[in-house]
Amino acid sequence: MKKLVIATNNTHKLEEIRAILGNQIELLSLKDIHCEVDIPEDSDTLEGNAIQKAQYIYDNYGLDCFADDTGLEVEALNGAPGVFTARFGVMNGYGTSHDADANTACLLDQLKNADNRKCRFRTAIALILNGETHLFEGIANGEITTEKRGDGGFGYDPVFAPEGYDGKTFAELGVDVKNQVSHRARAVAKLCEFLLK
Ligand code: IMP
């Protein structure tokens, strides 16, 4: 079985990606390889951040690795928060960094008077395999709801309603549906197709 490091310790993300990969590839987290460093991600693009993280593991541990970076791109905000999605709240005076409640409160406030609530989640995955870099992209189109709904998922899931699900949010739809249609699922599917071919 192929072994591959995923440059994250986010358990939600690990579970989601493990569920998509099934038992075809053994996925190791940063904890599994005893990496406790806060890997820098200071690029101005999702792709740049993903490459930066994967390259760090490859360079320091000599292991094949992939990393992802996700951004929420909102039409009415000209594509923001994009690469700043994790810090959107704190950058605008809401809560602390990587705080999902602050991020969603900030987003709902900024869209308070917006008729156009269209947006997309975009995931970039960088895979470093035998020293070579490969990029994969996954997109989920949807709309930002006017209030938070649902208990599942993480991050912006309670305010993101994917296209084709009657306005239900990812947090309401649950992990099984999300894993079929999410930005990350689509990017991971492309990654798997590449790895297994
Ligand atoms: P990261 O690239 O996975 O670290 O995510 C960047 C930001 O997007 C963080 O604020 C996450 O909470 C948010 N995010 C990433 N993926 C999802 C998702 O599937 N649903 C909701 N929020 C997400």
Side-chain angles (χ1 to χ4, degrees), residues 6 8 10-18 20-21 66-71 121-125 136-140 153-157 170 175 178-192:
I6 166 169
T8 190
N10 178 323
T11 47
H12 289 288
K13 218 188 264 185
L14 263 170
E15 278 163 23
E16 273 188 15
I17 295 179
R18 278 208 175 109
I20 296 161
L21 280 175
F66 73 92
D68 71 325
D69 199 33
T70 294
F121 265 122
R122 195 167 75 82
T123 293
I125 288 181
F136 307 90
E137 183 187 60
I139 288 172
F154 68 99
Y156 293 80
D157 280 347
F170 268 160
V175 76
K178 185 179 174 190
N179 282 346
Q180 286 166 31
V181 298
S182 83
H183 42 297
R184 194 161 24 258
R186 289 181 168 142
V188 170
K190 290 183 191 169
L191 169 77
C192 288

Side-chain angles (χ1 to χ4, degrees), residues 13 41 48 52-53 64 84 115 136 138-139 144 153 156 189:
K13 218 188 264 185
E41 44 179 317
Q52 204 177 0
K53 287 186 277 185
D64 290 334
F84 301 113
D115 292 328
F136 307 90
I139 288 172
I144 300 299
Y156 293 80

